[in-house]
Amino acid sequence: MKALFYDEQKGHEGIKTGDLPAPEITDTEVLVRVKAFSLNHLDVWVMGGNYPVKVPLPHIFGSDSAGIVEQVGSQVKHVNVGDGVIVFPGLSCGHCEKCLRGRDNECNSFTLIGTGVDGASAEFVKAPGINIFKKPEGLTFEEAAGIGITYTTAWNSLVLRAGIGQGDTVVVHGASSGAGSALIQVAKLFHGKIITTVGDDWKIEKAHELGADFIVNHKKEDLGQAVKRITKGELADIAVDHVGAATFNTSLSCLKRGGRLVTFGATTGDELPLSLRYVFGKNITIHGVYVGPRAAFARLLGLFPKHLRTVVDSVFEFQDVRKAYEKLLSRQFFGKIVVKV
Ligand SMILES: [Zn+2]
């Protein structure tokens, strides 16, 4: 089959096109003909060897995909050949306590399609039957391919971990990132007061359209000061920080006593000075989040396309995948970047 892959972890410039054997499925797996896959920032870290995960080489990347069922294992009963489906990338053992409690992203063997095993940047991808979900009606394959990691992480962060309440004030960094655009929409489902940031003024209107109430250009105003001003000194209940070292302490300063800080991703670095006195003095809870459980994905999928939508920034052709990653790294986009297969 035709595939995009890399055989050294040297970043997106090392991506090659070639023919690799199509995956073979077992009785409990499904083979999907990929129609589209979306980019995640995680791909860049893994491609560059900057992520503590063992990657088989040569490696087919791409964690989030949607396509058409090509072949079904004899024990899989919920989908048929020809169905339009989404492949959820989280893999786990299925029988440990964490898995049985529906916290499969905390399973000792948890990994992602596209990192720990071959991914979807190819004509075909395989996955266990329990990772195959019917594509909601009314979604294109491009939109469906953008949901997986991004929306599951957003749902897990706000709903399952931070326990968002009706009307909470929520600070979301980077409205234009895939994560930002998902977090704003999920927070809006709870009628939250959403304060978000952009680094370019052209993104302000798009952030408003998604449901953000206050948009701060972080290049023009300090976020901590802005949150103080907007909330009249009350500060925020939740801050979600996927930027890392550059913003973590600012995120802490945005929180009221008893506030919750969620962290995933660290595009600006993952080490920083931290005032512990500040954390315990304000009764702050810090939640580290890595993707989310299958159950979260199943739950939020039912909200598409009426209550949640994938913001697709752009769709690239298969052979232009490097340009797609260049766009991701340029930050000049809003939403998800998708590649057609
Ligand atoms: Zn397990």
Side-chain angles (χ1 to χ4, degrees):
M1 65 171 181
K2 213 175 208 185
L4 299 165
F5 66 97
Y6 51 87
D7 46 18
E8 289 175 284
Q9 283 173 282
K10 282 191 166 173
H12 67 283
E13 281 162 7
I15 297 172
K16 298 174 179 176
T17 311
D19 271 310
L20 289 176
E24 284 177 22
I25 61 163
T26 65
D27 288 351
T28 57
E29 292 178 325
V30 173
L31 187 69
V32 175
R33 180 181 286 276
V34 181
K35 301 290 281 183
F37 70 92
S38 71
L39 274 49
N40 287 294
H41 217 101
L42 179 70
D43 309 344
V44 179
W45 297 326
V46 175
M47 277 178 196
N50 300 315
Y51 210 72
V53 60
K54 206 168 157 49
V55 176
L57 296 173
H59 186 62
I60 301 171
F61 51 94
S63 294
D64 285 320
S65 63
I68 295 170
V69 173
E70 178 81 7
Q71 199 187 340
V72 184
S74 61
Q75 290 183 43
V76 179
K77 305 294 180 197
H78 69 290
V79 286
N80 296 303
V81 172
D83 286 349
V85 294
I86 302 177
V87 182
F88 180 70
L91 302 175
S92 67
C93 80
H95 53 75
C96 72
E97 191 200 339
K98 293 286 192 184
C99 285
L100 296 172
R101 282 159 61 104
R103 301 184 71 146
D104 38 281
N105 62 318
E106 294 172 5
C107 171
N108 272 340
S109 66
F110 183 75
T111 191
L112 294 168
I113 290 172
T115 64
V117 302
D118 273 337
S121 62
E123 270 180 272
F124 297 102
V125 64
K126 72 166 182 177
I130 51 170
N131 285 63
I132 305 292
F133 292 80
K134 284 202 176 133
K135 181 169 73 66
E137 270 178 49
L139 287 191
T140 64
F141 286 105
E142 287 82 5
E143 289 166 332
I147 300 175
I149 290 179
T150 304
Y151 284 79
T152 307
T153 306
W155 189 271
N156 192 23
S157 296
L158 289 174
V159 183
L160 302 182
R161 302 297 300 283
I164 186 172
Q166 293 282 325
D168 275 356
T169 299
V170 182
V171 173
V172 173
H173 288 274
S176 63
S177 62
S181 63
L183 287 160
I184 290 169
Q185 291 180 67
V186 172
K188 208 66 206 171
L189 295 174
F190 294 83
H191 309 289
K193 181 195 276 184
I194 301 155
I195 304 170
T196 191
T197 65
V198 294
D200 299 285
D201 283 341
W202 67 266
K203 296 171 177 172
I204 290 175
E205 199 184 321
K206 285 175 178 285
H208 264 308
E209 279 169 21
L210 278 181
D213 299 289
F214 301 94
I215 296 140
V216 178
N217 185 330
H218 62 79
K219 286 179 182 159
K220 294 181 179 171
E221 187 180 10
D222 174 72
L223 176 65
Q225 292 301 323
V227 170
K228 212 180 265 179
R229 169 177 62 76
I230 292 162
T231 62
K232 298 186 171 67
E234 287 280 309
L235 303 182
D237 299 281
I238 300 171
V240 185
D241 193 316
H242 51 100
V243 181
T247 54
F248 197 88
N249 277 308
T250 303
S251 297
L252 274 177
S253 76
C254 292
L255 291 173
K256 59 175 74 164
R257 286 171 189 262
R260 292 89 84 197
L261 196 154
V262 181
T263 172
F264 60 84
T267 44
T268 58
D270 67 348
E271 289 182 18
L272 67 148
L274 178 69
S275 164
L276 290 176
R277 197 158 43 190
Y278 194 84
V279 173
F280 66 70
K282 281 176 71 174
N283 286 278
I284 303 286
T285 306
I286 299 177
H287 295 280
V289 164
Y290 188 57
V291 197
R294 284 185 192 87
F297 183 71
R299 175 72 182 81
L300 67 89
L301 211 48
L303 296 167
F304 281 86
K306 196 170 172 209
H307 302 288
L308 295 173
R309 64 187 175 95
T310 324
V311 184
V312 176
D313 172 83
S314 43
V315 180
F316 283 80
E317 296 295 327
F318 196 66
Q319 64 274 15
D320 293 331
V321 68
R322 283 196 218 173
K323 283 187 203 154
Y325 278 103
E326 273 153 30
K327 187 162 195 193
L328 182 75
L329 294 170
S330 78
R331 296 182 194 272
Q332 292 304 308
F333 64 95
F334 200 106
K336 294 295 288 181
I337 298 170
V338 178
V339 175
K340 261 202 300 200
V341 180

